[in-house]
Amino acid sequence: MEIAAPALWVHRGAVPPMREFHRHDDLEINVAVRGGLEYLLAGERVSVPPGHTAMFWAAAPHRLLPAQTPQDSDICWIHLPLTAVLRWSLPEEFSARVMSHGTVVVPTAALGGHVEAQFATWERDVAVGRHTETVLMEANALVLRILAHGGSSPASRARPDLRPVARMARFAAENFRAGVSAADVARAANLNPNYATTLFREATGVTLGEQLLRHRIAEAQRLLLTTSMTTAAIAHAAGFGSGSSLYAHFSKACGCSPGAYRATRSVTPAGP
């Protein structure tokens, strides 16, 4: 499963079938206007009821589960390239809640009555390649509203040029299965490993090593739930290097062994 290239993308329509997991290095926002969504995201089920909006970093493997919604479901979608998002002066809450592979789900009504109309405008503008910066600026405001709902939103702070962070995040997402280290990720961005680790932690709230581990845990969860591969094969496929390393890291992160995780979770397998 390759990670798709990041791109500004806007769409509105019915819930599509998604038989396989996919990943893309974007911030994804879904607005469930009519009918809901249910994802398997980084090994966990995420529900987005009708009338709610969800936001998550789509670099984690995710797939829509078979819809139990009417055929006339109506969903608004936008993918915001991480390279653009990291240039915004977002609050620390963004790193803590989103870049750590969390999902934020809020009632759409809390975001204002204009959300659906805004998506219609964005879709027209993106389709003809105009007003891209305006779309991103308005999407920035929507992200801030989503983060601010239901709690305090820390003051925004100025950020340095975080394009290297985006490069490191993308390299980690594309290469974690190959057993790359934090130093490998830093070298891919032409940075000193110590500086790279500091920069990445300040931007995302986690170290490069922790980010690689998150990807590997998520991939192991996906393979445990959707394949009959042995844990040894999964350890290799997810970049852990050994079954013992998978067992130790997985048990600590998930609170149970890989075998117990597979036995206690039931998810409709992806198609061939």
Side-chain angles (χ1 to χ4, degrees), residues 3 32 49 51 70 98 146-147 268 272:
I3 187 166
V98 180
I146 293 171
L147 289 172
T268 304

Side-chain angles (χ1 to χ4, degrees), residues 245-272:
S245 179
L246 166 64
Y247 186 93
H249 288 296
F250 193 97
S251 298
K252 182 177 180 180
C254 302
C256 64
S257 69
Y261 183 88
R262 170 178 271 167
T264 56
R265 309 244 174 170
S266 176
V267 175
T268 304

Side-chain angles (χ1 to χ4, degrees), residues 5-11 25-27 77-85 88 122 125-127 129-137 139:
L8 178 61
W9 178 80
V10 185
H11 178 69
D25 206 10
D26 307 296
L27 183 66
W77 326 73
I78 186 168
H79 295 175
L80 299 164
L82 187 64
T83 50
V85 173
W88 300 343
W122 291 347
D125 287 346
V126 171
R130 68 182 181 190
H131 306 314
T132 300
E133 289 304 317
T134 300
V135 172
L136 289 172
M137 184 168 55

Side-chain angles (χ1 to χ4, degrees), residues 5 7 19 23 25 35 46 72 78 154 171 182 205 211 222:
R19 293 176 61 81
R23 299 139 53 83
D25 206 10
V46 175
D72 64 346
I78 186 168
F171 182 86
Q211 183 66 10
R222 182 184 75 85

Side-chain angles (χ1 to χ4, degrees), residues 30-265:
N30 304 156
V31 181
V33 179
R34 185 172 58 252
L37 298 167
E38 188 170 12
Y39 280 102
L40 185 64
L41 174 64
E44 298 293 335
R45 288 181 183 268
V46 175
S47 295
V48 187
H52 284 69
T53 294
M55 179 171 69
F56 59 91
W57 183 24
H62 59 284
R63 176 171 68 91
L64 282 168
L65 296 175
Q68 306 265 328
T69 56
Q71 292 298 315
D72 64 346
S73 59
D74 185 10
I75 310 294
C76 298
W77 326 73
I78 186 168
H79 295 175
L80 299 164
L82 187 64
T83 50
V85 173
L86 288 176
R87 290 198 297 267
W88 300 343
S89 296
L90 294 174
E92 293 289 350
E93 189 177 4
F94 177 74
S95 296
R97 298 178 65 183
V98 180
M99 292 299 286
S100 60
H101 289 314
T103 304
V104 182
V105 181
V106 302
T108 304
L111 307 176
H114 64 290
V115 175
E116 295 173 37
Q118 194 169 46
F119 268 84
T121 301
W122 291 347
E123 186 173 20
R124 289 194 300 269
D125 287 346
V126 171
V128 298
R130 68 182 181 190
H131 306 314
T132 300
E133 289 304 317
T134 300
V135 172
L136 289 172
M137 184 168 55
E138 292 172 346
N140 184 353
L142 177 62
V143 169
L144 289 171
R145 291 191 186 98
I146 293 171
L147 289 172
H149 175 72
S152 60
S153 180
S156 298
R157 60 185 176 86
R159 289 181 179 269
D161 178 5
L162 292 182
R163 284 174 292 184
V165 174
R167 287 197 294 272
M168 288 188 286
R170 183 170 177 79
F171 182 86
E174 291 176 336
N175 295 281
F176 69 89
R177 296 179 193 81
V180 297
S181 66
D184 294 325
V185 178
R187 280 193 290 270
N190 297 315
L191 296 175
N192 172 276
N194 291 333
Y195 173 72
T197 293
T198 299
L199 181 64
F200 196 86
R201 184 175 57 243
E202 288 178 349
T204 69
V206 298
T207 67
L208 285 169
E210 289 168 338
Q211 183 66 10
L212 287 167
L213 181 58
R214 289 178 188 275
H215 282 302
R216 288 168 181 151
I217 292 292
E219 180 71 350
Q221 289 174 321
R222 182 184 75 85
L223 294 172
L224 285 165
L225 293 176
T226 61
T227 76
S228 58
M229 294 169 63
T230 66
T231 53
I234 289 173
H236 176 74
F240 282 98
S242 70
S244 59
S245 179
L246 166 64
Y247 186 93
H249 288 296
F250 193 97
S251 298
K252 182 177 180 180
C254 302
C256 64
S257 69
Y261 183 88
R262 170 178 271 167
T264 56
R265 309 244 174 170

